[in-house]
Amino acid sequence: MKLKDSLFTRRKFLNTLIGGWLTALGATIIQPVIKFIFPPYREPEEVILPAADYELPGPNSFKTFPWGSKPGILKRNDDGSLTAFVAVCTHLDCNVTYLPEQRKFYCACHDGWYDENGINIAGPPPRPLRRLDVIVEGEKIIIRRKGESA
Amino acid sequence: MPKQSFREWLETRLGWGQIVNFLQKKEVPRHKHTLWYYTGSAILIFLVIQIITGFMLLLYYKPTLEKAYQSVTQIMTEVSYGWVIRSLHHWSATLMIAFVFIHLLSLWILKAYRPPRELTWMSGVILLFLTLAFGFTGYLLPWDELSLAATKVGTEIPSTIPLIGRWVTQLLRGGADVTGDTLTRFFGLHVSILPLSLILVLGFHLYLIQKHGMSVPLREEKQNRPLPSYPFWPNFLLRESVFWLILLGSLITLSLFLPRGLGQPADLMAPAPVGVRPEWYFLFLFQTLKLFPATILGIPGDTIAILLVMVAVGLFFFLPLLDTDPAGRKGKVITWAAVAFIVYAVVMSLWSVL
């Protein structure tokens, strides 16, 4: 049935109403389901390493540490300061290694290369390695996400 | 080649027009007991919710002695909406079992198992036991104090059956005692063996219901006049979906305001916690077992109790074959037996809680 000046029929109006309501109901059910399926993001805020285990005597020496579920690399620079990287290639998530003789990071998956500062120099990597902040506090080495040091 | 629509193309290949035709012509009898027809689809709704929330919990649950409790804690505290999904799984199970009981008891009293629906009833009884097995195996999975104690007792009960008892208990436990092996075994049952069995038996059950149509109560049938009916589509389905929405609302309300908790982690060496009790649907059996004396005429009381329960289950399964004269005196006695069972179960359950 359609009234003389109406834009749509009564059936169309009711169908839209019921359809819209069902869509809204469906959305309120789907939203938590999707939120549930994706696990909470679990990158650590900071990682504390005992300084005794990470002495790194000479320049250009390095050691790996666990950064959540990814490897990290802590490296002694020529000026004696420390730099930390997330040791994961920016290309396709492979773990990288540091080659001290060549002063380069190397990713074996697709032959990707980074210089000693983590800058991508050869192969497919699109971005430099991710850097982390390093703070030495007495017996502890605190490694934090970049820019979040208090 | 003549031009054909996509719908025709599919129809030639699938031949589903028959099903659509069937559903369009399906009629649901209309009488003062029509309401009980809704209980079956209520079970299906909760089953669908169980399957979906079960799949979701599977993404995070780890079925081992070391990780089970911890992974449930993770679901409850870290995963977005994790506590809601677990609570929904618990409450939907509870309501599903409640509706299975309502469904069976109402059909018992209405005598819906009369010929030619005997196999529909028997497959329904199998579905009841599969549902209870789901409840029993699922209860252990969070691996907290209560679930361990309940499983120790529950798997010990069959051991009092003469001859095969010990063997059944070992089969259930995967060893002499409830251990991490039992947990893994129950997990396999809960997520694989029981669901596959349920789907098969349920398919058979639903096929028979469609084949024979809805049963009409004896009193209506005797009146020898054509009964009024609803078309299934859309009249009956619309009424049913209103009922489904009420159920869904109740389920979500219960899950949010009475969320399922988690006890202390299970410790295989710790004494049983005080006040340990099975889930509500096993309470009447629990109380029955408690009442039996240690020995009767030299035979262990537990053995007599379990044999009586097995006889009762057998009678229940073969009910359609026993009730040969539904309209007569024997039929009346069987109807009253249903009422007596309800009174017994309610009184025993209340007794065990108070």
Side-chain angles (χ1 to χ4, degrees), chain A residues 21 31 36-40 42, chain B residues 56 60 74 78 80-81 245:
Chain A
W21 175 77
Q31 189 263 349
F36 179 94
I37 289 172
F38 291 97
R42 255 182 290 183
Chain B
M56 291 169 73
Y60 296 102
Q74 185 206 354
E78 287 175 34
S80 314
Y81 293 104
L245 279 174

Side-chain angles (χ1 to χ4, degrees), chain B residues 173-221:
Chain B
R173 288 181 175 175
D177 297 297
V178 175
T179 58
D181 293 344
T182 319
L183 179 66
T184 307
R185 193 165 278 228
F186 272 35
F187 175 75
L189 278 168
H190 192 81
V191 306
S192 169
I193 299 170
L194 290 174
L196 283 174
S197 317
L198 185 88
I199 295 293
L200 278 177
V201 182
L202 183 63
F204 180 67
H205 191 72
L206 292 179
Y207 162 75
L208 288 178
I209 292 168
Q210 299 316 315
K211 178 167 170 55
H212 295 303
M214 305 307 282
S215 157
V216 173
L218 213 52
R219 200 173 295 168
E220 309 287 340
E221 206 176 53

Side-chain angles (χ1 to χ4, degrees), chain B residues 256-277:
Chain B
L256 294 181
F257 290 99
L258 294 170
R260 181 64 169 171
L262 185 63
Q264 292 299 311
D267 178 352
L268 292 171
M269 300 301 150
V274 179
V276 54
R277 236 190 260 129

Side-chain angles (χ1 to χ4, degrees), chain A residues 121-144:
Chain A
I121 46 172
R127 284 183 306 279
L129 290 175
R130 231 182 105 198
R131 274 178 179 241
L132 300 166
D133 284 342
V134 183
I135 303 142
V136 181
E137 259 180 31
E139 292 301 292
K140 294 185 296 187
I141 300 173
I142 303 168
I143 298 181
R144 288 214 181 103

Side-chain angles (χ1 to χ4, degrees), chain B residues 276-311:
Chain B
V276 54
R277 236 190 260 129
E279 285 286 81
W280 61 271
Y281 40 88
F282 289 126
L283 278 178
F284 73 98
L285 278 176
F286 172 74
Q287 186 66 17
T288 307
L289 287 177
K290 242 165 73 171
L291 290 179
F292 268 76
T295 54
I296 302 169
L297 302 171
I299 305 164
D302 285 349
T303 306
I304 294 180
I306 192 113
L307 289 177
L308 283 178
V309 170
M310 285 167 75
V311 169

